[in-house]
Amino acid sequence: MDTLCSLSGLDPLWDWNQTWYTHNPELSNCFQNTVLVWAPCIYLWVLSPFYCLHLYCHGRGRLPLSSLCSAKLLLGFFLASFGFVEFFYILLERRQEIQQHLVFLLSPLCVWQVFAVCVIHWERVRGCRSSVFLFFFWLLGVVCSLIPLHAKVQLGLSPDIVRYLAFFSYFALQLAQLFLSCFADQAPSANLFLFFSQNACPVQDASFLSKILFWWFSGLLFKGYRSPLQAEDLWSLREEDTSEKIISDLEEEWTAERTKLHTSIALGSRLPEQAQFLRKIQKEQSSGFCLLRTLARSFGPYFLTGTLLSAFKPFSLFFKSLLLGFMKDEDAPLWKGYFYASLMFLLSCLQSIFNHQYTYTCFTVGMRVKTAVMGLVYRKSLVVNSAARRTCTVGEIVNLVSADTQKLMDFVVYFNAVWLAPIEITLCLFFLWQHLGPSALAGIAIVIFIFPLNGFIARKRSKLQEIQMKYMDGRVKLMNEILNGIKILKFYAWEKAFLEQVLGYREKELKTLKKSQILYSVSIASFNSSSFLIAFAMFGVYVLIDDKNVLDAQKIFVSMALINILKTPLSQLPFAMSTTMQALVSLKRLGKFLCQDELKPDNVTRESFKSGNKCPSLSNIPLTYSVCWSRISVRVPCGSLVAVVGHVGSGKSSLLSAMLGETEKRSGAVSVKGSSAYVPQQAWIQNASLQDNILFGREKKESWYQRVLEACALLPDLDNLPAGDTTEIGEKGLNLSGGQKQRVSLARAVYRKADVYLLDDPLSAVDAHVGQHIFNKVIGPRGILRDKTRVLVTHGMSFLPQADLILVLVDGEISERGSYQELLNRNGAFADFIHTFASSERKDCFSEASQRGNITVVCVFRHLYYLRSGRDCRREEPLSKALNPQLLPGRRSIGFPLLRVCVHYCVCVHLDGGDTNSITFEPLPDSDENHIQEDLGKLTKVDKARIGRVKLEMYIEYFHTIGLPLIVSIVFLYAFQQAASLSYNYWLSLWADQPVINGTQLNTDLKLGVYGALGFAQGQQSLKWCIIASHHLHLELLNNVLHSPMSFFESTPSGNLLNRFAKEIDAIDNMIPDGLKMMLGYFFKLMEVCIIVLMATPFAAVIILPMAFLYGFIQSFYVATSCQLRRLESVSRSPIYTHLNETVQGASVIRAFNEQSRFIMGVNHKVDHNQTAYFPRFVATRWLGVNLEFLGNGIVLAASILSVMSKGTLSPGMVGLAVSHSLQVTGFLSWIVRSWTDVENNIVSVERVKEYADTPKEAAWSIEGSSLPPSWPQKGTIEFHDYGLQYRKGLELALKGISVHIKEREKIGIVGRTGAGKSSLALGIFRILEAAKGQIYIDGINIAEIGLHDLRSRITIIPQDPVLFSGSLRMNLDPFDAYTDEEVWNALELAHLKNFVSELPDKLNHECSEGGENLSLGQRQLVCLARALLRKTKILVLDEATAALDLETDTLIQSTIRSQFEDCAVLTIAHRLNTIMDYTKVIVMDKGHIVEMDSPSNLIAKRGQFYYMCREAGLL
């Protein structure tokens, strides 16, 4: 190259004296005209083939020829033409001196510019809208032209005027190309996703420069600053971030991984029992790693791109620290100082860009991981089998998608620090070794000591986190049960007992959290002190081993810069290790749930049913539960009605579960031809409109819809609803009566037009006359389902004569089968039962069961046996009593008998109509009458986000709960720690400035001692952060919720409340304290740096102060948007929990109707809606970080330049101190931004928890100084004085002018059609709803003047819906432990449950599952009766309490009530009129009025409404 340059008459390529060792540095002309010209060409030629191949493989559609693209092409042609002009100019005008211009002649300008134009065109063809490749090409070209530009400007006008002007024109065109490359081109028309998406994310349209600096986000920030953001302002998700895209890719991977795991476990199924148990443990342990592998395969490649970006950070830090080594050259020219300052500024800016791009990538991966895990958990909840379902409560599943997914997101963000931090530490120690020699071993020893200590702490914290999560699961699970059964808690006045249970969990949770926080603080303290300990050990050893070892400014501050670099990895490492350990725990929990056993698809073989087929068949279904079953087979004639009867717990509902494939199959097969519809025993109602509940995802066909409403007795009642069939039904049907819920559930099934109908006692919850109407119009021989195959579980004897086949179940066996007449003719147990009990209920004139024709169905099956605990149970079990199913010894959970069934279905479609009775809904809680018409049907309140910044009151409220003395002491400790740090750093600068005499420094021992004392003082700090605020806020939230009236729970989805108790409380527990600790620590460190810079160069205040104001402005500008995004994200999270809760409880119905895909789409939409708020939220943090770090880099540049300018007046020690500390500003600002953002965003959790402080509350639970006698009520008299009640202000009164006097010991039956106000009367007595007018007196005391618990604990109700809570059976009977075991056993005996409970392994301590799911509905109802028998108050209210019981058990219970409550006033809201025929009086209600009241005999004699109701029920 030198030869070529010499031929052209130019200087050599490189000359150090010309470029470095001079006060006016210049690059040689040869270098300028060769290297600087050829560098961009080489870049283009080497990389363009790979780039073009990449475009070819990843094309996105042809771009239209836009003005931007045209300008780029035109400028490219101009640039190429300049190259050709120069080439021909030299050939033509300078041919005589061609040898001197050989370098310029060989310049490839024209060639590579033509090539650049070709690349621009190829990018347009392949749909590249913003070219990273060409951006760097033009940037490199401009940078390489800056040196010649500077030289030409200095030399002035050249005699070669043509080439002189050509260069400037060429440079201007290059600059224009660089400017144009900063913008993105128009989107291709083929991008359909962007075309169909509304408000598409602008990152799709952003240029490369906009992406790396996050300028594309500025539009949303400006919008949020001008006015609070709303949900509709947010961008739609990018296609690659949507649930559908993520889950579809991940699900196949996870299924394959899970299959491998199950295969390896299955291989050990023949091992001994102990080995199988170990295999099970191994499966649970390895399931988390299987999930991690699956996530890594799906998201790993994108995550690795971020990892590569993070590798730049240690390089830049070390390079900046090594630049400090040049300070020792006191004679260096000033331009070198400016050069190093500029280089540090450039490196800082690059570090900021790389760091935030890395973080952006990590958060994007974290968001996708969250979406993936939520999707997998939701899909799993739809297919998990019943045995696994009992071990995974709704609360635990909510925790999986809230707390555990958050732990995984944190893991993604901080995982790289686990391996990157040790590398940075190793490099630091290596450079320190080079700098200080063997003395660096002392620092290595300190690091070696710190690592095992923190490894031990991480392991301990991991175990503590497992324990904490277990307590949190228990707390959230209990809260979920409290919210589901809140009406029962209020009826029984049990709020205090359950509040204590929740607080018990919470206390254990906080105790564990406190231990974990103390360990974490020890870890943080060790790492914070580590930089001092390392410096003290190394400097001490260095000066003590040899007097000639001098600590000058260069040694001290290069070493300190390297040690300061150590601070970041040393402080990040404990957090990263802690996060990793927490993520492993969460992975294990998630993997365990996702590997739970599922319902097997081959439990039921479903085949399409064609109209030509006569007989859809269902053959053998073997099941396994904890009961040993006998051989059972069933033959069902096609299109017939099968009635299944039996005692409570005999296995009726389990028979239907078998037909649905809800139970585990051991052998045999079930084949169902045609679709099925299912009506569960307890109606499952969605929080949606009445119409949506019935349509259940199907298209509305008006004529059929009206027929269904009519047949299910719903049509006339729509006029009484605020918005007709668009009226919103509360969660779990809270605002509907039991009968209404059941009829809506039945209407859903009927509307489906299925081939097979499985009806689990749908008529038990409706009045007798309504039940008869529904049977006639829907189920019976003349109903609209008459030609469908129907399996009806029923306790109603009156329906049996019309059944084609009756199955009588006793303890899992079919004791008898046949038609009604056949069973009577056999004179067996069924006939005796009918003769004894049914005479009072059966209508005299039932039509005979219609003949269906002689259809013969043959089913050949083998004997089937059931397994108990894995052993063959072939022995016959003796028949036990109806309420004493034989249970497994040693099993904690109860399984009730299920059956092996061989059933054949025949389905033919034929529709019929019919009239309906007039049924009236109870008024639904609704909005005030002044609301607009379209809101009339709304019931639930959407979780709304507040607007604007978080108010100062929220911070005051939070800090107030901590207490001023503690806050002052914490701030003082942080300030003292940093003051000590400043002192020992300043002491080091003084030490560095000490003169060297005879090769040594004086008093090194004293200096080292003072340095050590100041450093150890700095190490004293607060070791723990208080959790007082978290405790108080949770307690306040819990009290506010439990003191809320029932209307609050009807209008507030449980997901909103669970969100507060799970995610928001978790944020208050962990995120806010950690954020405050981090923010305080880094804020004081930043203050220390600013003070040091100002001490060194006071003139820096001119730059630092304006930058501080600018910093504050940018922060406030950002926070307005950030807080609103946090709110919107929190608000959009609640519907996910509500939907999940609803799905888990109705999973069997969803599966029966084959609606899984629709519900999956629903949760996908809700998760995507949540992520639309989360995505801009973390991008906002990146935008703020980049902008503020660039300001911080400005401070670094200012400190460096001012130090250079003041070189003659500043001591080397002060310069080193200022510059070495200013290097940390960027990092400090980054962490302050992150921590302050976390605090600002998570303080929204305090705001959301405090929201319920202002909601309406019910009256006081107890009134101090009350003169209520302890034995009140002694008589049990009840007086209503012109009593009126309404569900909400503005609605019509549900009870109107009720005046009645109920005397002591009277037995009152309350009857009336659905919606007449029967249950409202009970709500009024218990003050669940307060009186709109009038009063109720009990024993002469106005109940409105006493405390709610004083009232509710003195009277008793047996509610319509039997609710049990997870916990022991004894706790469900007596949560206050107010009664002895003897009294509890006596109550169980009277409730006919003693034999059943005595056979349980744990007796009274038997663990009930969530909602009492391991008890049948009838047994749950008997437990509620036992509660009433325990309390034995003078007033008893029965709200359709025996609806779920068979007739024989009902008779026994009625007998018990009559004998045990003989001296009490009993009010019975009755469906079965025969149960109240011997009562003292009967109250007949209609539309909120009492229309009749007298003894049953007198009312019948009057031939009023009661008379006709008795006739309809077949009692007359």
Side-chain angles (χ1 to χ4, degrees), residues 680-894:
Q681 191 171 13
Q682 277 190 298
W684 176 69
I685 304 296
Q686 285 185 275
N687 179 204
S689 70
L690 185 74
Q691 177 177 288
D692 290 340
N693 268 285
I694 294 172
L695 298 181
F696 205 54
R698 291 298 174 97
E699 184 183 352
K700 184 178 180 181
K701 297 180 180 177
E702 190 62 38
S703 58
W704 176 241
Y705 178 68
Q706 294 299 325
R707 287 189 68 186
V708 171
L709 291 177
E710 183 182 11
C712 296
L714 291 169
L715 188 58
D717 310 298
L718 299 184
D719 296 334
N720 296 327
L721 296 175
D725 61 357
T726 59
T727 300
E728 185 180 7
I729 307 303
E731 201 173 346
K732 302 179 189 68
L734 272 175
N735 55 329
L736 297 180
S737 70
Q740 290 165 344
K741 285 189 281 188
Q742 199 60 271
R743 285 187 288 131
V744 171
S745 178
L746 180 63
R748 174 200 297 145
V750 175
Y751 187 82
R752 180 57 54 137
K753 288 188 179 180
D755 302 317
V756 176
Y757 282 84
L758 306 177
L759 311 172
D760 194 354
D761 204 11
L763 306 179
S764 63
V766 299
D767 295 332
H769 56 284
V770 179
Q772 190 64 55
H773 163 83
I774 291 174
F775 186 84
N776 292 338
K777 298 292 183 183
V778 180
I779 303 169
R782 296 181 182 177
I784 59 178
L785 301 180
R786 59 180 175 271
D787 291 320
K788 305 284 186 179
T789 302
R790 293 141 290 153
V791 180
L792 173 67
V793 172
T794 183
H795 292 304
M797 298 296 109
S798 60
F799 309 129
L800 299 183
Q802 300 181 72
D804 300 308
L805 176 66
I806 299 172
L807 304 178
V808 183
L809 300 187
V810 177
D811 288 347
E813 289 187 348
I814 296 182
S815 61
E816 295 180 82
R817 76 184 75 197
S819 67
Y820 183 77
Q821 198 59 47
E822 287 172 356
L823 292 178
L824 286 181
N825 293 339
R826 287 178 195 161
N827 292 321
F830 178 79
D832 295 340
F833 176 79
I834 291 294
H835 292 314
T836 305
F837 294 101
S839 57
S840 63
E841 184 174 319
R842 186 168 55 87
K843 211 170 181 177
D844 294 331
C845 51
F846 280 127
S847 62
E848 292 295 320
S850 58
Q851 299 300 317
R852 304 286 179 184
N854 297 322
I855 300 173
T856 304
V857 179
V858 180
C859 177
V860 181
F861 59 95
R862 61 183 179 275
H863 290 169
L864 304 167
Y865 302 95
Y866 293 81
L867 301 178
R868 178 164 63 182
S869 298
R871 298 187 296 274
D872 198 0
C873 296
R874 301 189 180 221
R875 71 180 191 279
E876 295 291 331
E877 295 283 353
L879 289 179
S880 59
K881 292 184 180 179
L883 298 173
N884 291 325
Q886 298 295 316
L887 297 165
L888 283 178
R891 287 291 294 270
R892 293 186 65 191
S893 60
I894 311 174

Side-chain angles (χ1 to χ4, degrees), residues 34-186:
T34 55
V35 175
L36 295 184
V37 171
W38 282 74
C41 308
I42 294 170
Y43 166 85
L44 190 69
W45 289 341
V46 172
L47 298 182
S48 57
F50 301 101
Y51 180 62
C52 291
L53 181 64
H54 170 77
L55 290 177
Y56 179 78
C57 297
H58 300 88
R60 299 178 182 176
R62 192 183 186 94
L63 293 175
L65 187 60
S66 63
S67 55
L68 180 65
C69 186
S70 302
K72 288 179 181 178
L73 289 170
L74 190 63
L75 288 176
F77 282 121
F78 279 137
L79 283 167
S81 65
F82 272 108
F84 283 110
V85 165
E86 184 176 21
F87 181 79
F88 287 112
Y89 172 77
I90 293 172
L91 281 179
L92 297 175
E93 296 295 326
R94 304 288 180 178
R95 60 179 178 272
Q96 295 85 2
E97 23 186 79
I98 191 76
Q99 194 173 3
Q100 296 180 13
H101 295 279
L102 197 58
V103 170
F104 308 107
L105 192 64
L106 295 176
S107 174
L109 287 177
C110 53
V111 179
W112 61 261
Q113 289 295 352
V114 171
F115 202 74
V117 171
C118 295
V119 172
I120 293 171
H121 177 68
W122 181 239
E123 285 178 339
R124 186 178 76 84
V125 171
R126 303 306 297 165
C128 178
R129 301 168 58 196
S130 178
S131 176
V132 183
F133 176 73
L134 287 181
F135 174 82
F136 281 114
F137 171 68
W138 298 121
L139 181 63
L140 186 59
V142 169
V143 170
C144 289
S145 298
L146 286 175
I147 304 295
L149 178 71
H150 175 261
K152 289 185 186 300
V153 169
Q154 274 193 327
L155 290 173
L157 192 63
S158 170
D160 195 350
I161 190 67
V162 175
R163 289 180 60 194
Y164 186 81
L165 294 176
F167 174 82
F168 281 98
S169 303
Y170 179 79
F171 180 79
L173 289 174
Q174 271 192 319
L175 209 56
Q177 281 282 35
L178 178 63
F179 177 74
L180 291 179
S181 65
C182 295
F183 300 94
D185 217 328
Q186 294 179 6

Side-chain angles (χ1 to χ4, degrees), residues 609-630:
F609 172 57
K610 299 176 182 177
S611 56
N613 293 348
K614 286 200 171 182
C615 214
S617 63
L618 181 145
S619 57
N620 222 350
I621 176 163
L623 308 168
T624 296
Y625 261 77
S626 54
V627 181
C628 192
W629 296 320
S630 303

Side-chain angles (χ1 to χ4, degrees), residues 1298-1348:
I1298 302 294
S1299 295
V1300 65
H1301 184 201
I1302 299 170
K1303 300 175 183 175
E1304 58 181 300
R1305 305 183 64 177
E1306 276 193 328
K1307 308 296 181 284
I1308 307 296
I1310 304 171
V1311 299
R1313 301 187 185 278
T1314 302
K1318 308 185 297 294
S1319 294
S1320 301
L1321 209 59
L1323 297 179
I1325 294 173
F1326 282 83
R1327 286 179 64 194
I1328 300 297
L1329 295 173
E1330 297 289 358
K1333 65 173 186 174
Q1335 301 86 31
I1336 299 177
Y1337 291 88
I1338 295 179
D1339 277 9
I1341 293 179
N1342 186 350
I1343 64 171
E1345 297 174 357
I1346 62 177
L1348 290 179

Side-chain angles (χ1 to χ4, degrees), residues 483 486 490 731 734 925 939-941 1037 1040-1054 1056-1057 1060-1061 1251-1258 1287-1288 1328-1329:
L483 297 175
I486 189 66
K490 292 192 176 296
E731 201 173 346
L734 272 175
L939 172 70
T940 57
K941 297 173 183 174
L1037 173 65
N1040 284 330
V1041 168
L1042 291 181
H1043 278 85
S1044 298
M1046 272 308 299
S1047 58
F1048 168 80
F1049 297 97
E1050 289 171 356
S1051 60
T1052 306
S1054 62
N1056 295 9
L1057 296 169
R1060 264 66 167 188
F1061 281 103
E1251 276 178 13
Y1252 294 130
D1254 303 325
T1255 54
K1257 301 293 182 289
E1258 59 184 2
Y1287 280 86
R1288 265 190 210 171
I1328 300 297
L1329 295 173

